[in-house]
Amino acid sequence: MHSIRVAVIGVGNCASSLIQGVAFYKANKSTTGLIREVVGGYTVSDIEFVLGVDVDDRKVGKDLSEAIFSAPNNTTVFKPDMPPSGAKVMRGPALDGVAAHMTKAGERGFRVADDSAAVSKDQIVEALRKSRADILVNFLPVGSQRATEFYMDCALEAGCAVVNCIPVFIASDEQWEARFKAKGLPIVGDDIKAQVGATIVHRALSSLFAARGASIERTYQLNTGGNTDFMNMLDRDRLSDKKESKTMAVQAALAKRLEDENILIGPSEYVAWQKDNKVCFLRVEGTQWGEVPMNLELRLSVEDSPNAAACVVDAIRFCKQALDRGESGALTLPSAYYCKHPPEQIPEDVANGLLDQYQTSLPEAAE
C-alpha cells in the first residue's frame, strides 16, 4: 500500500496527540487504543505527515515533530522521542481563527505575527500541491468559520480530501458537499467525536434509557478543561455551531426530542490547571415504571486530545479508501460514526456494523 500523505491545519493539542500517536504505533506493536487496526488496507503506520499550517510564532518554521510540543500546547506527552518528520510548519492567515482574548493571555494564548494576514490562498494551495497531500485535516479553533471556508477552498483547488474535525458545517452543508462531489473529493465531518468522550457517553446513556423503556425528561452535560480549546470558547459568540453540534448529537439518540429548556449540552468553564484534561458532569432525569422519578449523575475525566485522535486516525484512513475507490462527497457512514454533526445521524452500533460492511465491499457496491 502507498502511504497516506496528510496536511494538518492548526498544530495544537489535537494535532500533537495525533502525530505523537502515529509515531507511537509505528514504533510499537501495540494495538491498545485503536478502534480499527486496519481500514481500507491501511494501518496507522501508513500515515505520513507532510505539512503543518499554524499562525503562532512559536510553531511556524519548525519541524512538525518539534512544533507539536511548543506552547501553548499542553496535552500529555506520551511519545517524547519523536523522529523528525521532514515537514515544516508554514504560516497561515489568522482570519477569524484567533479570538481577540486569545492574543492577550500570555504563554497560554496565541502569539500571532503581524504578517499572517499577508498569506494568500495561492500560497496555501501551492504548499498543499508541493507536499502532495492526499488529505487535509482541519483542527482550527471552534468558531473559525471564515478560516475553515478559506482552507476548504484551498483543499478543493489543490485536490485534497478533507477530515473536518471542528463544528463549522461543511460535510453536513449541501452546497459545500456538492462542491466536494463535483471535484471528485471525499470529506468526513463535521466535528469529530471522542473515542470515549462526553457526547458519546451521553448518547449511549440516552440509547440505554430508550432501550429499557425509561423516559428522559431533562438532561445536561457541563464540561470543564484547561486547554486552548476551552480558553477559546470563553468567547461565547464562537459557540453557536459547537452547541448545536453537541446538542443534536444527543437529541438524535433520545427516544423523544426534548424541548430546548430541558436540555443543555456544551462547554461550561475554562480551568487553567486542568490543562488538556476534560471533566464532564452529566445528569439525566427521567421516569421509570409507574412514572416513578429517577436520575443519574456521572463524572467523566479524560485527556481530551488523545481521545479525539483515536477517531481522527480512522477518519483519515476511510477518506483515503474513498480516494482509492474514486468516491466523492460526504462519506455518510464514517461521518456518522466518527462525527457529532454528520450529514445523517445513525446510532453508533448500527453505523459500526455498516462500516465493517462498507470497508470490505467492492468499490462499485460502496455508497
Side-chain angles (χ1 to χ4, degrees), residues 54-58 91-95 97-99 102-103 109-117:
D54 205 277
V55 299
D56 198 296
D57 271 346
R58 293 164 292 184
R91 188 178 307 286
L95 300 171
V98 178
M102 295 295 292
T103 64
F110 296 145
R111 188 186 297 168
V112 184
D114 293 337
D115 63 350
S116 65

Side-chain angles (χ1 to χ4, degrees), residues 133-152:
D134 299 306
I135 296 163
L136 182 150
V137 176
N138 180 22
F139 280 137
L140 287 171
V142 169
S144 304
Q145 182 77 39
R146 286 195 300 118
T148 293
E149 292 177 352
F150 169 86
Y151 285 109
M152 295 303 103

